[in-house]
Amino acid sequence: MARTILVRTAAVAVLAAALAGADPAVAGRVPGGPTAVGYGGAVATVDAEATRVGLEVLREGGNAVDAAIAAAAALGVTEPFSAGIGGGGFLLYYDARTGRVHTIDGRESAPASMTATSFIDPATGAPYAFQEARVSGLSVGVPGTVATWERALRDFGTISLADALRPASTVARKGFPVDATFRTQVADNAAAFGQFSSTSALFLPGGAPPAVGSTFRNPDLARTYDLIGQRGAGAFYRGPVARDIVTTVTDPPVADTPIGTWAYPIRPATLTVRDLAGYAVREPAPTRVGYRGYQVHGMATPSSGGQAVGEALNILERADLPRELALHGYLEASALAFADRNRYVGDGTPRALLNELLSDRFAAERACLIDPGGALPKPVAPGVPDGAYGGCAAATATEPELAGQSTTNLTVADRWGNVVEYTLTIEQIGGNGMVVPGRGFLLNNELTDFNFAPTQGDAADPNLPAAGKRPRSSMAPTIVTRAGRPVLAVGTPGGSTIITTVLQILVNRLDLGMSLPEAIAAPRATQRNTATIPAEPAFDRAALEGLGHVFTTMTEIGAATGIELLPDGRVVAAAEPVRRGAGTAGVVRPAGVVP
Ligand code: GLU
């Protein structure tokens, strides 16, 4: 997020001093800016503090998982509106020792009380308005982040949960300066936050968003981190913290005197201590597709990230368009993959069906729809992944969906060649708006990622709510290997635009020959099977408009981070140079100039 490198701590001040007087043209190329290159491991996040924490762990001998969890915990402090222990996420890990890619699905799960009609207002028979569902108990899934951190460290890390949480706890206790992004995120949420005594006490001191430059402290969160560090994830999923989460959902902490007005009733929901105690992460096999000699590993369901990115790459490879049509192919393959995602992908999609969607033969059938001479009418119809492939399928309409703007992403590599790509979220910026009283963190509204009502006409909707089910995600942490060795890792926030942003970065890097920093910086467009294509103002649309693509303007899409392992042994770490106020990349031992 927009965190300036004019910094919060002595350690980062050293970096700032190194930067002072640097040529502004190359300032972004030294550690502390959005790109870095060198040896010994690397970290890229949206936030200078989190990158600093991750690099410190690497310098002290920790591995990529240790650094990733410590950095994620720091993001829970400094980016509390995008991620934190009230939410969930998906982590991919390349293990250099075995050459295998592992995943952790820490997605929030629906409570046992949830049904297919939980988001239908019984009074009207119509779905709740999004904000009505969001700022309520109904939207809160059982958080998966603490369980993710514990599992990642237990299975792949070398330090304790206590050690991983300590730097973040220190930041929460000592505080950090509020920047413009932090203040804006509170201001944008002031009406929701102002309804709750706990949230206004933390984020609306004196009734208003904290001033830019003031020090923000969160001692409640520091204590919660310390408790989890001392007693393990069980201290979150059972006992007083779990009970406080349950109370917040079942009896929201509505203020006696709210600040501002909110248009909707604040609805409670039924979440129980059993729901919390029963939470477990899953470790599904990653999705995997071959692409132009690379292996692309992604996240399986309940995320659609691995399916949609992987299927689109397969389609692109089969379409085999000339270089000048690469972006045309990118837009068309995205639309086709989204049609299939919407029809077939949700929590519980059989693995055999997921494998069909990712098969080369299915991709060939989808690719034959792409016309090099012009854009297909949108929306395109889903295909039929039934194993019997041949002709091109005809088109009918499917439902588009909204883009989110929350979430955060981080990428870490260590000196042994292990790589972590981790996307975590509380869904909307500000989650469901409720801070758990006395605990210092916001709850997620992840269950609003379910479809509130069926979207697929006569066909089954794979993403309707149900007890214990996890809402479909678009998060797409991605690791690319070649001959078993990692070459690239990338991920981003951005709701369903996550899929297209990851895909576009891969196309930019692997097909268009851009460096990773260029691939991340390049202007973006997002075709999610809709008639018009949101695109950033600088996206070059002229040639594509000539092919019949129709664009609208979206100011900013995504906030990616990534890492590339160069053949000479160096690592390039890259974050956004501009979007969301720029991110921060760093390496343990800088060497050379970012390519
Ligand atoms: N909840 C979204 C998902 O899982 C992410 C939200 C966002 O990035 O804005 O796909």
Side-chain angles (χ1 to χ4, degrees):
M1 193 118 331
R3 224 158 294 280
T4 158
I5 51 168
L6 301 174
V7 253
R8 310 180 180 128
T9 67
V12 184
V14 173
L15 286 180
L19 281 172
D23 175 359
V26 297
R29 297 184 166 193
V30 300
T35 57
V37 62
Y39 298 100
V43 181
T45 82
V46 296
D47 177 60
E49 191 73 52
T51 297
R52 174 190 69 79
V53 165
L55 281 174
E56 261 175 30
V57 171
L58 290 179
R59 283 199 189 97
E60 286 164 10
N63 73 6
V65 170
D66 303 331
I69 303 311
L75 290 169
V77 176
T78 59
E79 303 279 329
F81 314 114
S82 296
I85 58 174
F90 297 98
L91 185 148
L92 246 68
Y93 171 59
Y94 172 86
D95 186 335
R97 203 171 40 82
T98 62
R100 287 183 57 201
V101 177
H102 301 265
T103 78
I104 299 180
D105 159 11
R107 185 68 160 172
E108 299 89 334
S109 59
S113 59
M114 192 148 216
T115 71
T117 58
S118 289
F119 286 122
I120 305 292
D121 185 346
T124 63
Y128 292 118
F130 180 81
Q131 289 295 342
E132 182 172 10
R134 174 201 162 202
V135 182
S136 82
L138 292 168
S139 65
V140 181
V142 178
T145 290
V146 174
T148 302
W149 294 353
E150 186 172 73
R151 178 62 66 90
L153 290 170
R154 192 198 75 184
D155 287 0
F156 310 117
T158 71
I159 64 175
S160 67
L161 189 55
D163 286 343
L165 294 181
R166 195 167 296 114
S169 169
T170 302
V171 176
R173 193 167 276 111
K174 288 193 176 160
F176 57 89
V178 168
D179 69 4
T181 304
F182 190 101
R183 186 179 196 284
T184 301
Q185 292 184 335
V186 177
D188 290 348
N189 273 291
F193 287 2
Q195 305 310 302
F196 304 104
S197 50
S198 52
T199 317
S200 25
L202 184 59
F203 295 124
L204 296 168
V212 172
S214 63
T215 299
F216 183 82
R217 295 186 183 83
N218 193 339
D220 285 346
L221 184 59
R223 273 190 295 276
T224 306
Y225 274 11
D226 292 347
L227 184 72
I228 295 167
Q230 285 151 18
R231 307 225 187 117
F236 182 88
Y237 290 99
R238 288 178 290 278
V241 178
R243 285 198 293 277
D244 287 350
I245 293 171
V246 166
T247 303
T248 308
V249 170
T250 55
D251 183 16
V254 175
D256 292 336
T257 317
I259 301 167
T261 53
W262 185 245
Y264 304 104
I266 310 283
R267 295 175 189 277
T270 305
L271 177 78
T272 66
V273 289
R274 271 179 94 101
D275 291 321
L276 270 290
Y279 186 84
V281 297
R282 302 173 185 164
E283 295 175 280
T287 59
R288 197 180 66 166
V289 299
Y291 186 66
R292 306 198 199 284
Y294 298 93
Q295 298 288 309
V296 180
H297 310 260
M299 196 64 226
T301 56
S303 186
S304 57
Q307 170 268 326
V309 171
E311 182 183 329
L313 289 173
N314 277 342
I315 293 171
L316 273 178
E317 198 173 36
R318 298 287 143 337
D320 201 23
L321 297 168
R323 183 189 161 90
E324 61 272 19
L325 289 177
L327 289 177
H328 171 59
Y330 154 67
L331 296 173
E332 297 295 79
S334 297
L336 291 162
F338 258 92
D340 297 324
R341 164 198 188 266
N342 292 350
R343 173 60 57 88
Y344 298 111
V345 181
D347 193 16
T349 298
R351 191 74 195 205
L353 176 54
L354 189 58
N355 291 343
E356 261 340 300
L357 290 166
L358 290 170
S359 70
D360 287 342
R361 289 175 62 229
F362 179 62
E365 188 175 86
R366 302 298 273 155
C368 83
L369 290 167
I370 295 181
D371 177 358
L376 291 164
K378 308 292 183 317
V380 295
V384 184
D386 59 359
Y389 305 117
C392 293
T396 55
T398 58
E399 285 280 310
E401 72 179 58
L402 288 171
Q405 291 298 327
S406 180
T407 310
T408 191
N409 187 78
L410 61 100
T411 317
V412 182
D414 65 25
R415 71 180 88 157
W416 299 281
N418 302 303
V419 177
V420 172
E421 190 63 51
Y422 185 22
T423 315
L424 61 163
T425 187
I426 56 172
E427 217 299 289
Q428 292 289 294
I429 290 185
N432 89 329
M434 299 179 196
V435 167
V436 179
R439 305 298 179 183
F441 64 91
L442 283 157
L443 288 174
N444 69 82
N445 67 295
E446 214 71 53
L447 301 185
T448 59
D449 274 359
F450 283 123
N451 293 335
F452 288 14
T455 61
Q456 297 299 309
D458 292 339
D461 187 318
N463 191 35
L464 289 177
K469 191 173 173 180
R470 300 181 181 200
R472 179 175 61 208
S473 172
S474 300
M475 290 189 269
T478 302
I479 294 177
V480 180
T481 59
R482 184 162 205 149
R485 307 296 306 162
V487 291
L488 204 58
V490 66
T492 183
S496 55
T497 70
I498 289 171
I499 288 165
T500 55
T501 293
V502 167
L503 184 60
Q504 193 178 349
I505 291 168
L506 293 177
V507 168
N508 287 344
R509 174 67 195 89
L510 301 177
D511 293 349
L512 295 176
M514 295 183 197
S515 69
L516 179 63
E518 288 167 346
I520 287 177
R524 293 181 186 138
T526 177
Q527 170 50 286
R528 289 159 294 158
N529 200 19
T530 51
T532 57
I533 304 169
E536 292 177 337
F539 183 80
D540 187 0
R541 22 188 111 177
L544 292 162
E545 282 171 341
L547 291 169
H549 296 283
V550 182
F551 293 93
T552 58
T553 296
M554 197 178 210
T555 319
E556 200 170 276
I557 301 173
T561 67
I563 275 176
E564 178 163 1
L565 293 99
L566 301 177
D568 66 8
R570 291 180 304 155
V571 183
V572 176
E576 296 286 355
V578 176
R579 296 181 185 92
R580 284 215 200 172
T584 305
V587 291
V588 171
R589 276 186 293 123
V593 175
V594 176

mmCIF file of all heavy atoms in Angstrom, residues 161-186:
data_model
loop_
_atom_site.group_PDB
_atom_site.id
_atom_site.type_symbol
_atom_site.label_atom_id
_atom_site.label_comp_id
_atom_site.label_asym_id
_atom_site.label_seq_id
_atom_site.Cartn_x
_atom_site.Cartn_y
_atom_site.Cartn_z
ATOM 1 N N LEU A 161 6.202 -19.955 15.903
ATOM 2 C CA LEU A 161 5.172 -18.947 15.658
ATOM 3 C C LEU A 161 5.456 -17.699 16.499
ATOM 4 O O LEU A 161 5.288 -16.566 16.026
ATOM 5 C CB LEU A 161 3.795 -19.552 15.984
ATOM 6 C CG LEU A 161 2.552 -18.755 15.611
ATOM 7 C CD1 LEU A 161 2.525 -18.376 14.134
ATOM 8 C CD2 LEU A 161 1.287 -19.558 15.965
ATOM 9 N N ALA A 162 5.916 -17.911 17.723
ATOM 10 C CA ALA A 162 6.233 -16.767 18.596
ATOM 11 C C ALA A 162 7.295 -15.883 17.948
ATOM 12 O O ALA A 162 7.171 -14.646 17.925
ATOM 13 C CB ALA A 162 6.714 -17.266 19.956
ATOM 14 N N ASP A 163 8.344 -16.518 17.401
ATOM 15 C CA ASP A 163 9.416 -15.734 16.769
ATOM 16 C C ASP A 163 8.905 -15.016 15.520
ATOM 17 O O ASP A 163 9.324 -13.896 15.216
ATOM 18 C CB ASP A 163 10.593 -16.649 16.391
ATOM 19 C CG ASP A 163 11.384 -17.069 17.619
ATOM 20 O OD1 ASP A 163 11.236 -16.409 18.666
ATOM 21 O OD2 ASP A 163 12.120 -18.063 17.537
ATOM 22 N N ALA A 164 8.010 -15.678 14.789
ATOM 23 C CA ALA A 164 7.494 -15.059 13.558
ATOM 24 C C ALA A 164 6.595 -13.862 13.880
ATOM 25 O O ALA A 164 6.538 -12.901 13.104
ATOM 26 C CB ALA A 164 6.726 -16.092 12.742
ATOM 27 N N LEU A 165 5.908 -13.916 15.004
ATOM 28 C CA LEU A 165 4.967 -12.837 15.339
ATOM 29 C C LEU A 165 5.626 -11.682 16.084
ATOM 30 O O LEU A 165 5.075 -10.583 16.134
ATOM 31 C CB LEU A 165 3.821 -13.399 16.207
ATOM 32 C CG LEU A 165 2.901 -14.412 15.528
ATOM 33 C CD1 LEU A 165 1.812 -14.875 16.482
ATOM 34 C CD2 LEU A 165 2.253 -13.812 14.284
ATOM 35 N N ARG A 166 6.799 -11.933 16.653
ATOM 36 C CA ARG A 166 7.397 -10.925 17.538
ATOM 37 C C ARG A 166 7.673 -9.581 16.852
ATOM 38 O O ARG A 166 7.302 -8.531 17.400
ATOM 39 C CB ARG A 166 8.667 -11.483 18.185
ATOM 40 C CG ARG A 166 9.138 -10.655 19.378
ATOM 41 C CD ARG A 166 10.187 -11.360 20.218
ATOM 42 N NE ARG A 166 9.691 -12.571 20.842
ATOM 43 C CZ ARG A 166 10.121 -13.802 20.560
ATOM 44 N NH1 ARG A 166 11.071 -13.992 19.660
ATOM 45 N NH2 ARG A 166 9.620 -14.840 21.183
ATOM 46 N N PRO A 167 8.309 -9.567 15.664
ATOM 47 C CA PRO A 167 8.554 -8.242 15.051
ATOM 48 C C PRO A 167 7.255 -7.467 14.801
ATOM 49 O O PRO A 167 7.203 -6.252 15.020
ATOM 50 C CB PRO A 167 9.245 -8.594 13.725
ATOM 51 C CG PRO A 167 9.747 -9.984 13.866
ATOM 52 C CD PRO A 167 8.850 -10.672 14.849
ATOM 53 N N ALA A 168 6.215 -8.180 14.370
ATOM 54 C CA ALA A 168 4.940 -7.504 14.096
ATOM 55 C C ALA A 168 4.311 -6.996 15.379
ATOM 56 O O ALA A 168 3.748 -5.888 15.429
ATOM 57 C CB ALA A 168 3.993 -8.476 13.394
ATOM 58 N N SER A 169 4.419 -7.798 16.419
ATOM 59 C CA SER A 169 3.884 -7.384 17.719
ATOM 60 C C SER A 169 4.579 -6.108 18.192
ATOM 61 O O SER A 169 3.946 -5.191 18.734
ATOM 62 C CB SER A 169 4.086 -8.538 18.704
ATOM 63 O OG SER A 169 3.831 -8.127 19.996
ATOM 64 N N THR A 170 5.882 -6.038 17.957
ATOM 65 C CA THR A 170 6.636 -4.832 18.349
ATOM 66 C C THR A 170 6.138 -3.620 17.563
ATOM 67 O O THR A 170 5.961 -2.529 18.139
ATOM 68 C CB THR A 170 8.148 -5.061 18.089
ATOM 69 O OG1 THR A 170 8.552 -6.199 18.831
ATOM 70 C CG2 THR A 170 8.971 -3.862 18.486
ATOM 71 N N VAL A 171 5.914 -3.794 16.265
ATOM 72 C CA VAL A 171 5.406 -2.673 15.460
ATOM 73 C C VAL A 171 4.028 -2.241 15.991
ATOM 74 O O VAL A 171 3.744 -1.044 16.133
ATOM 75 C CB VAL A 171 5.299 -3.059 13.962
ATOM 76 C CG1 VAL A 171 4.666 -1.923 13.155
ATOM 77 C CG2 VAL A 171 6.678 -3.400 13.394
ATOM 78 N N ALA A 172 3.179 -3.208 16.321
ATOM 79 C CA ALA A 172 1.837 -2.874 16.817
ATOM 80 C C ALA A 172 1.919 -2.100 18.134
ATOM 81 O O ALA A 172 1.170 -1.153 18.360
ATOM 82 C CB ALA A 172 1.023 -4.148 17.002
ATOM 83 N N ARG A 173 2.867 -2.501 18.976
ATOM 84 C CA ARG A 173 2.966 -1.871 20.294
ATOM 85 C C ARG A 173 3.605 -0.486 20.187
ATOM 86 O O ARG A 173 3.108 0.474 20.773
ATOM 87 C CB ARG A 173 3.786 -2.778 21.213
ATOM 88 C CG ARG A 173 3.706 -2.416 22.677
ATOM 89 C CD ARG A 173 4.273 -3.517 23.565
ATOM 90 N NE ARG A 173 3.305 -4.556 23.849
ATOM 91 C CZ ARG A 173 3.349 -5.804 23.390
ATOM 92 N NH1 ARG A 173 4.360 -6.187 22.629
ATOM 93 N NH2 ARG A 173 2.423 -6.673 23.698
ATOM 94 N N LYS A 174 4.691 -0.392 19.450
ATOM 95 C CA LYS A 174 5.406 0.897 19.357
ATOM 96 C C LYS A 174 4.692 1.864 18.431
ATOM 97 O O LYS A 174 4.804 3.077 18.576
ATOM 98 C CB LYS A 174 6.824 0.669 18.832
ATOM 99 C CG LYS A 174 7.724 0.012 19.841
ATOM 100 C CD LYS A 174 9.171 0.119 19.383
ATOM 101 C CE LYS A 174 10.115 -0.446 20.428
ATOM 102 N NZ LYS A 174 11.422 -0.786 19.864
ATOM 103 N N GLY A 175 4.006 1.332 17.435
ATOM 104 C CA GLY A 175 3.273 2.192 16.513
ATOM 105 C C GLY A 175 4.076 2.546 15.274
ATOM 106 O O GLY A 175 5.274 2.280 15.180
ATOM 107 N N PHE A 176 3.379 3.140 14.326
ATOM 108 C CA PHE A 176 3.981 3.569 13.055
ATOM 109 C C PHE A 176 3.222 4.797 12.580
ATOM 110 O O PHE A 176 2.064 5.006 12.966
ATOM 111 C CB PHE A 176 3.937 2.430 12.018
ATOM 112 C CG PHE A 176 2.559 1.909 11.758
ATOM 113 C CD1 PHE A 176 1.758 2.465 10.772
ATOM 114 C CD2 PHE A 176 2.035 0.871 12.531
ATOM 115 C CE1 PHE A 176 0.479 1.993 10.549
ATOM 116 C CE2 PHE A 176 0.752 0.394 12.307
ATOM 117 C CZ PHE A 176 -0.031 0.960 11.317
ATOM 118 N N PRO A 177 3.851 5.602 11.734
ATOM 119 C CA PRO A 177 3.174 6.832 11.294
ATOM 120 C C PRO A 177 2.054 6.526 10.300
ATOM 121 O O PRO A 177 2.225 5.717 9.387
ATOM 122 C CB PRO A 177 4.272 7.647 10.604
ATOM 123 C CG PRO A 177 5.530 6.911 10.764
ATOM 124 C CD PRO A 177 5.225 5.517 11.191
ATOM 125 N N VAL A 178 0.934 7.163 10.514
ATOM 126 C CA VAL A 178 -0.194 7.035 9.591
ATOM 127 C C VAL A 178 0.181 7.738 8.292
ATOM 128 O O VAL A 178 0.680 8.864 8.296
ATOM 129 C CB VAL A 178 -1.446 7.690 10.207
ATOM 130 C CG1 VAL A 178 -2.559 7.847 9.184
ATOM 131 C CG2 VAL A 178 -1.903 6.877 11.417
ATOM 132 N N ASP A 179 -0.028 7.054 7.162
ATOM 133 C CA ASP A 179 0.191 7.712 5.872
ATOM 134 C C ASP A 179 -1.153 7.984 5.197
ATOM 135 O O ASP A 179 -2.219 7.644 5.725
ATOM 136 C CB ASP A 179 1.142 6.903 4.988
ATOM 137 C CG ASP A 179 0.526 5.598 4.517
ATOM 138 O OD1 ASP A 179 -0.660 5.351 4.803
ATOM 139 O OD2 ASP A 179 1.233 4.831 3.836
ATOM 140 N N ALA A 180 -1.090 8.599 4.023
ATOM 141 C CA ALA A 180 -2.323 9.048 3.357
ATOM 142 C C ALA A 180 -3.229 7.871 3.009
ATOM 143 O O ALA A 180 -4.455 7.970 3.107
ATOM 144 C CB ALA A 180 -1.965 9.837 2.099
ATOM 145 N N THR A 181 -2.614 6.737 2.623
ATOM 146 C CA THR A 181 -3.439 5.579 2.245
ATOM 147 C C THR A 181 -4.208 5.042 3.445
ATOM 148 O O THR A 181 -5.402 4.741 3.355
ATOM 149 C CB THR A 181 -2.550 4.471 1.654
ATOM 150 O OG1 THR A 181 -1.837 5.016 0.561
ATOM 151 C CG2 THR A 181 -3.384 3.311 1.165
ATOM 152 N N PHE A 182 -3.511 4.909 4.553
ATOM 153 C CA PHE A 182 -4.147 4.410 5.780
ATOM 154 C C PHE A 182 -5.331 5.311 6.142
ATOM 155 O O PHE A 182 -6.449 4.843 6.380
ATOM 156 C CB PHE A 182 -3.097 4.400 6.898
ATOM 157 C CG PHE A 182 -3.513 3.699 8.179
ATOM 158 C CD1 PHE A 182 -3.085 2.421 8.445
ATOM 159 C CD2 PHE A 182 -4.307 4.345 9.114
ATOM 160 C CE1 PHE A 182 -3.445 1.775 9.636
ATOM 161 C CE2 PHE A 182 -4.671 3.720 10.296
ATOM 162 C CZ PHE A 182 -4.232 2.433 10.556
ATOM 163 N N ARG A 183 -5.070 6.623 6.129
ATOM 164 C CA ARG A 183 -6.125 7.556 6.501
ATOM 165 C C ARG A 183 -7.306 7.467 5.515
ATOM 166 O O ARG A 183 -8.473 7.447 5.924
ATOM 167 C CB ARG A 183 -5.571 8.982 6.523
ATOM 168 C CG ARG A 183 -6.584 9.985 7.033
ATOM 169 C CD ARG A 183 -6.042 11.394 7.093
ATOM 170 N NE ARG A 183 -6.906 12.206 7.926
ATOM 171 C CZ ARG A 183 -8.092 12.672 7.557
ATOM 172 N NH1 ARG A 183 -8.564 12.386 6.370
ATOM 173 N NH2 ARG A 183 -8.815 13.385 8.393
ATOM 174 N N THR A 184 -6.995 7.393 4.233
ATOM 175 C CA THR A 184 -8.062 7.317 3.226
ATOM 176 C C THR A 184 -8.905 6.059 3.406
ATOM 177 O O THR A 184 -10.130 6.080 3.259
ATOM 178 C CB THR A 184 -7.449 7.323 1.807
ATOM 179 O OG1 THR A 184 -6.693 8.515 1.670
ATOM 180 C CG2 THR A 184 -8.506 7.268 0.725
ATOM 181 N N GLN A 185 -8.237 4.966 3.734
ATOM 182 C CA GLN A 185 -8.993 3.714 3.900
ATOM 183 C C GLN A 185 -9.937 3.794 5.096
ATOM 184 O O GLN A 185 -11.031 3.221 5.063
ATOM 185 C CB GLN A 185 -8.021 2.534 4.013
ATOM 186 C CG GLN A 185 -7.286 2.297 2.685
ATOM 187 C CD GLN A 185 -6.380 1.096 2.681
ATOM 188 O OE1 GLN A 185 -5.910 0.659 3.721
ATOM 189 N NE2 GLN A 185 -6.105 0.569 1.507
ATOM 190 N N VAL A 186 -9.506 4.500 6.135
ATOM 191 C CA VAL A 186 -10.427 4.718 7.258
ATOM 192 C C VAL A 186 -11.547 5.656 6.825
ATOM 193 O O VAL A 186 -12.738 5.385 7.064
ATOM 194 C CB VAL A 186 -9.680 5.306 8.476
ATOM 195 C CG1 VAL A 186 -10.675 5.599 9.607
ATOM 196 C CG2 VAL A 186 -8.600 4.350 8.962
#
